[in-house]
């Protein structure tokens, strides 16, 4: 199957000298699905209403043939906004052109923080996203493995005095 997309990143310098509290939300990674189903999207991370990184979409599963990796999420509201990496396109687990279903699935999308999970293959399960916000590797029908989960998001704060 297709790999999951990674979450977006927003980087912003904020003067919060007159602010007493800010709600912080850390998004969950999308879940990997059975090799015969599409993965779910990750959820949004945010620092109040200042800046937001949306989660990436889950990798898709089709009927026969090529399947699309999940689109990366978006960063919004930052001084710098970075879209997440798309998951790799894969091959559906029912597509067996050579008679042997040894096709490998695709990797999850890399995030600003690092690489996505490895896609599954004939005798290897896929892995979860490797860095904050990265997509999970696609599942492989050749061993009926579920796709890897996306990695949790992050809200990184530095204070300057």
């Amino acid at each position: 199957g297709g790999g999951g997309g990674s979450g977006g990143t927003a980087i912003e310098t904020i003067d919060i000298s007159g602010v007493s509290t800010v709600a912080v939300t850390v998004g969950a990674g999308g879940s990997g699905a059975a090799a015969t189903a599409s993965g779910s999207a990750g959820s949004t991370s945010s620092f109040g209403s200042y800046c937001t990184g949306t989660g990436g979409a889950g990798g898709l599963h089709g009927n026969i043939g090529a399947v699309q990796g999940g689109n990366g999420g978006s960063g919004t509201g930052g001084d710098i906004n970075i879209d997440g990496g798309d998951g790799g396109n894969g091959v559906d687990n029912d597509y067996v052109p050579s008679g042997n279903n040894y096709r490998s699935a695709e990797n999850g999308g890399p995030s600003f923080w690092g690489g996505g999970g490895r896609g599954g293959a004939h005798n290897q399960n896929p892995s979860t996203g490797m860095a904050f916000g990265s997509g999970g590797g696609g599942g492989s029908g050749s061993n009926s493995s579920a796709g890897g989960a996306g990695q949790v998001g992050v809200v990184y704060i530095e204070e300057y005095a």
Side-chain angles (χ1 to χ4, degrees):
S6 70
T9 299
I11 301 171
E12 184 175 14
T13 302
I14 305 166
D15 179 1
I16 59 168
S17 57
V19 178
S20 59
T21 62
V22 174
V24 174
T25 302
V26 176
S31 61
T36 57
S38 298
S40 68
S43 58
T44 298
S45 296
S46 64
F47 184 72
S49 61
Y50 294 100
C51 54
T52 299
T54 62
L60 300 181
H61 164 77
N63 290 325
I64 292 181
V67 293
Q68 181 179 353
N71 293 328
S74 298
T76 58
D79 298 324
I80 300 171
N81 297 303
I82 304 168
D83 287 342
D86 294 342
N89 295 331
V91 175
D92 185 80
N93 68 334
D94 298 322
Y95 181 63
V96 188
S98 66
N100 294 317
N101 191 0
Y102 296 147
R103 297 285 192 158
S104 59
E106 287 298 321
N107 294 339
S111 72
F112 171 80
W113 303 95
R118 178 188 64 240
H122 173 64
N123 60 356
Q124 298 292 319
N125 290 330
S127 63
T128 60
M130 303 305 290
F132 291 122
S134 63
S140 172
S142 63
N143 67 357
S144 299
S145 62
Q151 193 58 260
V152 66
V154 64
V155 175
Y156 180 78
I157 301 168
E158 289 187 19
E159 180 181 6
Y160 297 97

